[in-house]
Amino acid sequence: MKSLFKTENQQTILNRIKNLTETSQPSWGKMDVAQMLTHCQKPLEVANGTLQLNTKIGFAKKLLFKLFKSAMYNDKPWQKNLGTVREFRVTDAQGFATQKEKLVQAINEFSKLKDKTSWPTHPFFGDFTTEQWGKMQYKHLDHHLTQFGV
């Protein structure tokens, strides 16, 4: 799996974002392009430490999330129409240009953290290594950019 910590992968993602337009349409899912750009910022903000989720999950859900943890960063693409956690859902109208710029900024901030050794604990999946964070962020962005055909 590619990592957002590799400069060439970061640049590829940024170029794909640049190719989005306000009229880009999804191949699946309910979000419009501006909502997707906002949604994609959320996991980066968790990793960057600028978004803390106060999510309490029970033992059974914690166990379930642990079973699927490697799916967050392995080489297998995510399925279309996967559900998303409530905290990352975006249903209200968003400004395309503003959210596009915010996502680029979040990616650039995250990419500066490639030498970081202490990461926040993910609210659902627990601890990730730096390598896993880089792969997970790339995979999430790739998933949604593919959703919008770029």
Side-chain angles (χ1 to χ4, degrees):
M1 174 54 52
K2 294 179 179 179
S3 171
L4 201 55
F5 288 132
K6 301 281 186 202
T7 304
E8 61 273 14
N9 298 333
Q10 175 191 4
Q11 193 56 56
T12 298
I13 291 291
L14 294 174
N15 288 340
R16 290 169 70 187
I17 291 169
K18 208 181 287 184
N19 288 327
L20 289 168
T21 67
E22 205 163 349
T23 59
S24 295
Q25 295 296 309
S27 297
W28 71 85
K30 298 176 182 175
M31 291 184 287
D32 66 29
V33 66
Q35 291 168 330
M36 178 274 292
L37 291 167
T38 306
H39 164 81
C40 285
Q41 294 168 45
K42 305 292 185 197
L44 289 160
E45 291 169 352
V46 168
N48 289 345
T50 57
L51 175 63
Q52 280 133 15
L53 304 177
N54 296 322
T55 306
K56 306 265 192 235
I57 59 172
F59 176 77
K61 274 194 176 178
K62 247 184 207 182
L63 187 59
L64 185 64
F65 280 120
K66 279 194 183 241
L67 291 173
F68 291 99
K69 182 177 178 176
S70 68
M72 298 300 291
Y73 55 82
N74 66 18
D75 289 333
K76 187 177 177 186
W78 289 342
Q79 295 175 351
K80 297 174 183 176
N81 292 311
L82 278 178
T84 190
V85 295
R86 180 179 355 102
E87 295 81 2
F88 291 172
R89 286 187 198 134
V90 180
T91 57
D92 52 333
Q94 300 291 313
F96 173 77
T98 300
Q99 296 309 320
K100 188 175 182 179
E101 181 56 36
K102 283 184 175 181
L103 179 57
V104 168
Q105 289 173 359
I107 290 168
N108 289 334
E109 287 302 312
F110 176 80
S111 295
K112 292 176 187 174
L113 303 175
K114 62 183 167 193
D115 296 322
K116 186 173 179 171
T117 56
S118 178
W119 292 89
T121 298
H122 192 282
F124 303 110
F125 294 99
D127 293 322
F128 287 103
T129 66
T130 300
E131 179 183 3
Q132 290 166 341
W133 274 110
K135 289 178 177 181
M136 179 172 51
Q137 298 299 341
Y138 179 90
K139 188 172 181 175
H140 184 240
L141 291 163
D142 178 65
H143 173 77
H144 286 293
L145 293 172
T146 299
Q147 175 187 15
F148 281 84
V150 294

